[in-house]
Amino acid sequence: MNTVSLIDVASYLPGDPVGTDDFTRYAHSDRMAKNIMFLAPTHRHHIGAGESAVDMAERALTPLIDRHGTATIAGIDILITHTQLPDLPVLGCGADLARRMRMSPQCILDVHNGGCACFIYMLELARTILSTNGSARTALIVTVQNTAGQIFTQPDVRPLAQAAVPGDGCGVGLLRISDRAPILDVECRHHPEFAGDMTAAIDPPRRYWEPGTGQLRIAFTDSKITQVFARGNRLVPEVAHAVCDRIGVTSTAVDTFVTNQPNRLFLRNWRDALELTPEHYPDTFDDCGNLFGAAIPVTLDAENRAGRIRNGSLVLLAGFAHAGDFAAAAAIRWGAAQPDTAMT
Protein backbone atom coordinates (compact mmCIF):
# COMPACT_ATOMS: atom_id res chain seq x y z
CA MET A 1 0.00 0.00 0.00
CA ASN A 2 1.16 3.53 -0.78
CA THR A 3 2.14 5.78 2.13
CA VAL A 4 -0.31 8.65 2.58
CA SER A 5 0.63 11.89 4.35
CA LEU A 6 -1.35 14.71 5.91
CA ILE A 7 0.50 17.44 4.06
CA ASP A 8 -1.19 20.51 5.56
CA VAL A 9 -4.15 21.79 7.56
CA ALA A 10 -6.02 25.08 7.60
CA SER A 11 -9.12 26.50 9.26
CA TYR A 12 -11.61 29.34 9.40
CA LEU A 13 -13.54 30.89 12.28
CA PRO A 14 -16.39 33.18 11.21
CA GLY A 15 -16.86 36.70 12.54
CA ASP A 16 -15.75 38.25 15.80
CA PRO A 17 -15.73 36.24 19.04
CA VAL A 18 -19.15 36.07 20.71
CA GLY A 19 -19.08 36.54 24.48
CA THR A 20 -21.07 34.47 26.95
CA ASP A 21 -23.17 37.48 27.92
CA ASP A 22 -24.90 37.11 24.56
CA PHE A 23 -26.55 34.05 26.12
CA THR A 24 -26.75 34.81 29.83
CA ARG A 25 -28.94 37.86 29.26
CA TYR A 26 -31.56 35.55 27.72
CA ALA A 27 -31.09 32.63 30.12
CA HIS A 28 -33.94 31.41 32.26
CA SER A 29 -33.87 29.01 35.17
CA ASP A 30 -32.44 25.75 33.84
CA ARG A 31 -31.24 23.02 36.18
CA MET A 32 -28.98 21.75 33.38
CA ALA A 33 -26.94 24.95 33.73
CA LYS A 34 -25.22 23.51 36.80
CA ASN A 35 -24.02 20.45 34.92
CA ILE A 36 -20.35 20.66 33.96
CA MET A 37 -21.30 19.56 30.43
CA PHE A 38 -22.88 22.99 29.94
CA LEU A 39 -20.29 25.23 31.60
CA ALA A 40 -19.87 27.83 28.89
CA PRO A 41 -16.62 28.76 27.15
CA THR A 42 -15.43 32.36 27.32
CA HIS A 43 -15.93 32.88 23.59
CA ARG A 44 -17.21 31.18 20.47
CA HIS A 45 -17.78 32.21 16.84
CA HIS A 46 -21.06 32.20 14.91
CA ILE A 47 -21.67 31.73 11.21
CA GLY A 48 -22.56 35.03 9.56
CA ALA A 49 -25.96 35.97 8.24
CA GLY A 50 -26.26 34.56 4.75
CA GLU A 51 -23.00 32.59 5.08
CA SER A 52 -23.28 29.06 3.70
CA ALA A 53 -21.36 25.88 4.48
CA VAL A 54 -19.59 26.23 1.13
CA ASP A 55 -18.64 29.83 1.98
CA MET A 56 -17.03 28.61 5.19
CA ALA A 57 -15.19 25.82 3.39
CA GLU A 58 -13.89 28.19 0.72
CA ARG A 59 -12.57 30.57 3.40
CA ALA A 60 -10.88 27.71 5.25
CA LEU A 61 -9.20 26.67 2.00
CA THR A 62 -7.67 30.11 1.37
CA PRO A 63 -4.47 29.43 3.38
CA LEU A 64 -3.96 26.15 1.53
CA ILE A 65 -4.28 27.94 -1.79
CA ASP A 66 -1.81 30.59 -0.63
CA ARG A 67 0.72 27.93 0.40
CA HIS A 68 0.26 25.34 -2.34
CA GLY A 69 -1.21 27.20 -5.28
CA THR A 70 -4.60 27.30 -6.96
CA ALA A 71 -3.72 24.44 -9.30
CA THR A 72 -3.07 22.07 -6.38
CA ILE A 73 -6.53 22.58 -4.90
CA ALA A 74 -8.27 22.59 -8.28
CA GLY A 75 -6.50 19.33 -9.14
CA ILE A 76 -7.66 17.39 -6.06
CA ASP A 77 -8.52 13.77 -6.93
CA ILE A 78 -10.64 12.90 -3.87
CA LEU A 79 -12.94 15.31 -2.00
CA ILE A 80 -14.58 14.25 1.27
CA THR A 81 -16.79 16.61 3.28
CA HIS A 82 -18.77 16.58 6.50
CA THR A 83 -21.34 19.32 7.10
CA GLN A 84 -22.96 19.50 10.52
CA LEU A 85 -26.02 21.33 9.16
CA PRO A 86 -26.39 20.90 5.37
CA ASP A 87 -27.69 23.99 3.61
CA LEU A 88 -30.16 21.70 1.84
CA PRO A 89 -31.74 18.81 3.80
CA VAL A 90 -30.60 16.02 1.48
CA LEU A 91 -27.33 17.39 0.12
CA GLY A 92 -23.87 17.83 1.56
CA CYS A 93 -21.60 20.60 0.32
CA GLY A 94 -19.10 18.46 -1.62
CA ALA A 95 -20.31 18.95 -5.19
CA ASP A 96 -21.03 22.64 -4.69
CA LEU A 97 -17.60 23.16 -3.13
CA ALA A 98 -15.99 21.39 -6.10
CA ARG A 99 -17.90 23.65 -8.47
CA ARG A 100 -16.90 26.75 -6.51
CA MET A 101 -13.21 25.79 -6.44
CA ARG A 102 -13.17 24.55 -10.08
CA MET A 103 -12.29 21.01 -9.02
CA SER A 104 -12.97 17.87 -11.04
CA PRO A 105 -12.40 15.10 -8.47
CA GLN A 106 -12.60 11.44 -9.37
CA CYS A 107 -14.63 10.93 -6.17
CA ILE A 108 -16.78 13.20 -4.01
CA LEU A 109 -18.09 11.84 -0.70
CA ASP A 110 -20.41 13.69 1.69
CA VAL A 111 -20.03 11.92 5.03
CA HIS A 112 -22.91 12.41 7.45
CA ASN A 113 -21.66 10.26 10.31
CA GLY A 114 -18.43 10.53 12.26
CA GLY A 115 -19.67 13.53 14.26
CA CYS A 116 -17.00 15.08 16.48
CA ALA A 117 -14.49 12.48 15.24
CA CYS A 118 -15.32 12.95 11.55
CA PHE A 119 -11.93 14.47 10.68
CA ILE A 120 -10.24 11.21 11.65
CA TYR A 121 -12.91 9.18 9.88
CA MET A 122 -12.40 11.18 6.68
CA LEU A 123 -8.63 10.89 7.12
CA GLU A 124 -8.98 7.11 7.10
CA LEU A 125 -11.39 7.11 4.15
CA ALA A 126 -9.01 9.29 2.14
CA ARG A 127 -6.02 7.17 3.13
CA THR A 128 -7.80 3.99 2.08
CA ILE A 129 -8.82 5.38 -1.31
CA LEU A 130 -5.43 6.92 -2.06
CA SER A 131 -3.47 3.85 -1.02
CA THR A 132 -5.52 1.50 -3.21
CA ASN A 133 -6.55 3.67 -6.17
CA GLY A 134 -3.94 3.49 -8.91
CA SER A 135 -4.50 6.98 -10.29
CA ALA A 136 -5.59 9.20 -7.36
CA ARG A 137 -2.73 11.12 -5.75
CA THR A 138 -4.31 13.85 -3.62
CA ALA A 139 -7.31 14.25 -1.33
CA LEU A 140 -9.00 17.09 0.49
CA ILE A 141 -11.06 16.56 3.65
CA VAL A 142 -13.38 19.31 4.86
CA THR A 143 -15.46 19.52 8.04
CA VAL A 144 -17.94 22.36 8.57
CA GLN A 145 -19.56 23.09 11.94
CA ASN A 146 -22.33 25.63 11.41
CA THR A 147 -25.05 24.90 13.98
CA ALA A 148 -24.03 27.32 16.74
CA GLY A 149 -25.19 30.46 14.99
CA GLN A 150 -28.21 28.81 13.35
CA ILE A 151 -29.69 26.18 15.70
CA PHE A 152 -28.47 27.36 19.09
CA THR A 153 -29.40 31.03 18.63
CA GLN A 154 -33.05 30.34 17.86
CA PRO A 155 -35.21 32.38 20.27
CA ASP A 156 -36.58 29.30 22.08
CA VAL A 157 -33.17 27.56 22.24
CA ARG A 158 -30.91 30.49 23.13
CA PRO A 159 -32.07 30.66 26.79
CA LEU A 160 -31.13 27.00 27.38
CA ALA A 161 -27.84 26.04 29.03
CA GLN A 162 -26.81 24.00 25.99
CA ALA A 163 -26.92 27.06 23.69
CA ALA A 164 -23.79 28.82 24.97
CA VAL A 165 -21.43 25.86 24.47
CA PRO A 166 -21.14 25.33 20.67
CA GLY A 167 -19.16 27.49 18.28
CA ASP A 168 -18.91 27.54 14.49
CA GLY A 169 -15.83 26.92 12.36
CA CYS A 170 -14.36 24.93 9.50
CA GLY A 171 -11.22 22.82 9.26
CA VAL A 172 -9.60 21.27 6.18
CA GLY A 173 -6.81 18.79 5.56
CA LEU A 174 -4.70 18.21 2.45
CA LEU A 175 -3.45 14.66 1.85
CA ARG A 176 -1.27 13.13 -0.81
CA ILE A 177 0.68 9.99 -1.56
CA SER A 178 3.96 10.89 0.10
CA ASP A 179 6.17 9.89 3.02
CA ARG A 180 6.73 13.46 4.21
CA ALA A 181 4.12 13.49 6.99
CA PRO A 182 2.94 9.88 7.09
CA ILE A 183 -0.27 8.71 8.71
CA LEU A 184 1.19 5.97 10.88
CA ASP A 185 -1.99 4.27 12.03
CA VAL A 186 -5.73 4.85 12.38
CA GLU A 187 -8.27 3.19 14.68
CA CYS A 188 -11.99 3.56 13.91
CA ARG A 189 -14.58 1.90 16.13
CA HIS A 190 -18.32 1.95 15.50
CA HIS A 191 -20.71 1.34 18.40
CA PRO A 192 -24.15 1.13 16.77
CA GLU A 193 -25.69 0.01 20.07
CA PHE A 194 -25.43 3.68 21.16
CA ALA A 195 -26.71 5.20 17.92
CA GLY A 196 -30.25 5.85 19.16
CA ASP A 197 -29.10 7.75 22.24
CA MET A 198 -28.51 11.07 20.49
CA THR A 199 -31.92 12.64 19.93
CA ALA A 200 -33.48 16.00 19.16
CA ALA A 201 -36.70 17.50 20.43
CA ILE A 202 -39.28 20.10 19.48
CA ASP A 203 -42.07 21.40 21.72
CA PRO A 204 -44.83 20.64 20.91
CA PRO A 205 -43.54 17.36 19.44
CA ARG A 206 -43.31 16.99 15.66
CA ARG A 207 -40.86 15.66 13.10
CA TYR A 208 -38.36 18.38 12.23
CA TRP A 209 -39.55 18.63 8.61
CA GLU A 210 -43.24 18.84 9.47
CA PRO A 211 -44.94 22.25 9.66
CA GLY A 212 -45.63 23.59 13.12
CA THR A 213 -44.36 25.70 15.97
CA GLY A 214 -41.43 25.05 18.28
CA GLN A 215 -37.71 24.99 17.52
CA LEU A 216 -35.26 22.12 17.17
CA ARG A 217 -32.88 21.48 20.08
CA ILE A 218 -30.79 18.60 21.41
CA ALA A 219 -32.75 16.47 23.85
CA PHE A 220 -30.62 16.10 26.99
CA THR A 221 -31.66 14.25 30.14
CA ASP A 222 -29.71 13.52 33.32
CA SER A 223 -29.42 9.83 32.44
CA LYS A 224 -28.23 10.57 28.89
CA ILE A 225 -25.59 12.99 30.16
CA THR A 226 -24.32 10.41 32.63
CA GLN A 227 -24.07 7.79 29.89
CA VAL A 228 -22.27 10.13 27.48
CA PHE A 229 -19.72 11.10 30.12
CA ALA A 230 -19.03 7.48 30.99
CA ARG A 231 -18.65 6.46 27.35
CA GLY A 232 -16.54 9.44 26.33
CA ASN A 233 -14.20 9.03 29.27
CA ARG A 234 -13.63 5.42 28.20
CA LEU A 235 -13.80 5.48 24.39
CA VAL A 236 -11.28 8.21 23.59
CA PRO A 237 -8.45 6.80 25.74
CA GLU A 238 -9.21 3.32 24.38
CA VAL A 239 -8.74 4.26 20.74
CA ALA A 240 -5.78 6.51 21.55
CA HIS A 241 -3.98 3.74 23.45
CA ALA A 242 -4.81 1.22 20.71
CA VAL A 243 -3.01 3.35 18.13
CA CYS A 244 -0.05 3.95 20.46
CA ASP A 245 0.25 0.22 21.09
CA ARG A 246 0.30 -0.61 17.39
CA ILE A 247 2.99 1.94 16.53
CA GLY A 248 5.03 0.78 19.53
CA VAL A 249 5.00 3.83 21.83
CA THR A 250 3.50 4.77 25.17
CA SER A 251 1.07 7.67 25.36
CA THR A 252 3.71 9.75 27.15
CA ALA A 253 5.79 9.68 23.95
CA VAL A 254 3.11 11.73 22.14
CA ASP A 255 4.32 15.27 21.43
CA THR A 256 0.92 16.77 20.58
CA PHE A 257 -2.46 15.26 21.45
CA VAL A 258 -5.47 16.83 19.71
CA THR A 259 -9.07 15.86 20.42
CA ASN A 260 -12.53 17.21 19.90
CA GLN A 261 -13.27 19.91 22.49
CA PRO A 262 -16.68 19.17 24.06
CA ASN A 263 -16.15 20.54 27.58
CA ARG A 264 -13.50 21.10 30.24
CA LEU A 265 -14.17 17.86 32.12
CA PHE A 266 -13.54 15.61 29.12
CA LEU A 267 -10.38 17.54 28.28
CA ARG A 268 -9.02 17.11 31.79
CA ASN A 269 -9.95 13.44 31.99
CA TRP A 270 -8.48 12.57 28.58
CA ARG A 271 -5.25 14.39 29.40
CA ASP A 272 -4.96 12.50 32.68
CA ALA A 273 -5.78 9.16 31.02
CA LEU A 274 -2.86 9.61 28.59
CA GLU A 275 -0.59 11.04 31.32
CA LEU A 276 0.17 14.16 29.34
CA THR A 277 0.97 17.70 30.46
CA PRO A 278 -1.09 20.70 29.31
CA GLU A 279 1.81 21.69 27.03
CA HIS A 280 1.28 18.48 25.06
CA TYR A 281 -2.51 18.77 24.94
CA PRO A 282 -3.78 21.97 23.25
CA ASP A 283 -7.12 23.34 24.40
CA THR A 284 -9.21 25.70 22.27
CA PHE A 285 -12.45 25.33 24.19
CA ASP A 286 -12.46 28.80 25.78
CA ASP A 287 -11.61 30.49 22.49
CA CYS A 288 -13.93 28.52 20.21
CA GLY A 289 -16.41 26.53 22.30
CA ASN A 290 -17.44 23.06 21.20
CA LEU A 291 -16.68 22.96 17.47
CA PHE A 292 -17.94 19.39 17.09
CA GLY A 293 -16.29 17.86 13.99
CA ALA A 294 -14.26 20.98 13.20
CA ALA A 295 -12.52 21.04 16.59
CA ILE A 296 -9.68 18.67 15.70
CA PRO A 297 -8.50 20.41 12.49
CA VAL A 298 -9.09 23.91 13.93
CA THR A 299 -7.06 23.09 17.05
CA LEU A 300 -4.39 21.34 15.00
CA ASP A 301 -4.11 24.34 12.69
CA ALA A 302 -3.89 26.76 15.63
CA GLU A 303 -1.01 24.79 17.15
CA ASN A 304 0.77 24.54 13.81
CA ARG A 305 0.45 28.26 13.07
CA ALA A 306 1.75 29.05 16.56
CA GLY A 307 4.88 27.01 15.79
CA ARG A 308 4.27 24.56 18.61
CA ILE A 309 4.40 21.39 16.45
CA ARG A 310 7.90 20.54 15.31
CA ASN A 311 8.44 18.62 12.11
CA GLY A 312 9.21 15.02 13.00
CA SER A 313 7.12 15.10 16.17
CA LEU A 314 4.44 12.53 16.95
CA VAL A 315 0.90 13.89 16.72
CA LEU A 316 -2.04 11.87 18.01
CA LEU A 317 -5.64 12.75 17.09
CA ALA A 318 -8.63 11.26 18.91
CA GLY A 319 -12.31 11.86 19.49
CA PHE A 320 -15.75 10.37 19.87
CA ALA A 321 -19.08 11.18 18.25
CA HIS A 322 -22.62 11.89 19.35
CA ALA A 323 -23.56 9.71 22.34
CA GLY A 324 -20.68 7.32 21.72
CA ASP A 325 -21.65 5.50 18.51
CA PHE A 326 -18.23 6.21 16.97
CA ALA A 327 -14.69 6.79 18.24
CA ALA A 328 -11.43 7.14 16.35
CA ALA A 329 -7.75 7.96 16.74
CA ALA A 330 -4.88 8.54 14.31
CA ALA A 331 -1.12 8.93 14.67
CA ILE A 332 0.83 11.18 12.32
CA ARG A 333 4.56 11.86 12.03
CA TRP A 334 4.28 15.60 11.63
CA GLY A 335 5.85 17.26 8.64
CA ALA A 336 3.26 19.77 7.53
CA ALA A 337 4.73 23.01 8.82
CA GLN A 338 5.99 24.19 5.43
CA PRO A 339 4.37 24.26 1.96
CA ASP A 340 4.98 21.17 -0.16
CA THR A 341 6.89 22.72 -3.04
CA ALA A 342 6.42 19.56 -5.06
CA MET A 343 2.69 20.36 -5.15
CA THR A 344 2.83 24.01 -6.24
Side-chain angles (χ1 to χ4, degrees):
M1 294 176 65
N2 293 315
T3 300
V4 177
S5 289
L6 178 62
I7 293 296
D8 207 351
V9 291
S11 62
Y12 163 72
L13 297 172
D16 296 325
V18 176
T20 303
D21 59 348
D22 273 41
F23 296 89
T24 55
R25 61 183 172 176
Y26 298 104
H28 55 56
S29 178
D30 183 351
R31 63 186 179 83
M32 291 289 185
K34 297 181 179 179
N35 193 298
I36 194 169
M37 185 167 182
F38 302 117
L39 293 182
T42 305
H43 299 100
R44 78 286 294 144
H45 294 256
H46 285 166
I47 187 172
E51 191 171 25
S52 69
V54 176
D55 293 334
M56 292 181 66
E58 181 180 15
R59 287 157 189 164
L61 283 171
T62 298
L64 292 188
I65 294 171
D66 291 342
R67 290 195 288 267
H68 302 282
T70 302
T72 295
I73 302 305
I76 288 295
D77 298 311
I78 309 298
L79 175 62
I80 308 177
T81 69
H82 170 92
T83 308
Q84 192 78 8
L85 184 65
D87 295 324
L88 293 174
V90 296
L91 187 65
C93 71
D96 198 16
L97 178 61
R99 178 191 62 82
R100 179 89 59 94
M101 307 307 296
R102 301 180 183 276
M103 300 176 186
S104 299
Q106 298 178 24
C107 177
I108 299 175
L109 294 175
D110 290 313
V111 178
H112 292 286
N113 64 332
C116 296
C118 67
F119 189 78
I120 305 171
Y121 191 37
M122 293 189 294
L123 196 76
E124 175 64 354
L125 289 173
R127 183 175 77 139
T128 300
I129 296 171
L130 289 176
S131 62
T132 57
N133 184 309
S135 58
R137 305 290 297 177
T138 60
L140 184 70
I141 58 177
V142 178
T143 175
V144 179
Q145 151 52 14
N146 56 347
T147 61
Q150 299 186 110
I151 296 294
F152 292 93
T153 57
Q154 295 177 102
D156 292 350
V157 180
R158 194 178 197 123
L160 302 178
Q162 64 180 261
V165 179
D168 290 329
C170 178
V172 299
L174 177 63
L175 294 84
R176 72 167 299 183
I177 295 176
S178 165
D179 59 2
R180 204 190 81 190
I183 301 167
L184 304 176
D185 194 78
V186 180
E187 176 79 1
C188 290
R189 297 182 181 178
H190 295 274
H191 298 277
E193 65 272 23
F194 304 141
D197 293 345
M198 174 61 72
T199 57
I202 302 175
D203 296 321
R206 62 179 172 86
R207 292 184 175 91
Y208 74 88
W209 65 85
E210 293 178 332
T213 59
Q215 295 165 2
L216 184 72
R217 58 180 170 81
I218 304 300
F220 288 108
T221 65
D222 290 332
S223 62
K224 284 184 179 181
I225 291 172
T226 299
Q227 291 171 350
V228 170
F229 268 126
R231 292 169 190 166
N233 282 332
R234 172 177 58 85
L235 293 172
V236 170
E238 280 182 355
V239 291
H241 282 299
V243 168
C244 287
D245 289 344
R246 283 205 298 272
I247 65 174
V249 302
T250 64
S251 62
T252 55
V254 172
D255 297 298
T256 304
F257 182 46
V258 179
T259 67
N260 59 310
Q261 307 271 307
N263 56 61
R264 296 183 184 91
L265 181 58
F266 273 136
L267 296 177
R268 186 197 70 191
N269 291 349
W270 293 338
R271 187 185 71 215
D272 291 347
L274 270 72
E275 302 180 79
L276 295 172
T277 66
E279 290 74 24
H280 293 92
Y281 187 20
D283 174 355
T284 56
F285 180 74
D286 266 324
D287 292 327
C288 302
N290 183 359
L291 286 172
F292 301 103
I296 289 175
V298 167
T299 305
L300 190 59
D301 180 45
E303 285 297 289
N304 189 43
R305 285 186 288 107
R308 290 189 288 265
I309 310 180
R310 303 183 317 275
N311 277 348
S313 61
L314 178 61
V315 174
L316 183 65
L317 314 178
F320 83 108
H322 312 122
D325 60 83
F326 179 70
I332 299 163
R333 185 63 66 186
W334 194 253
Q338 300 296 326
D340 186 351
T341 54
M343 297 180 62
T344 58

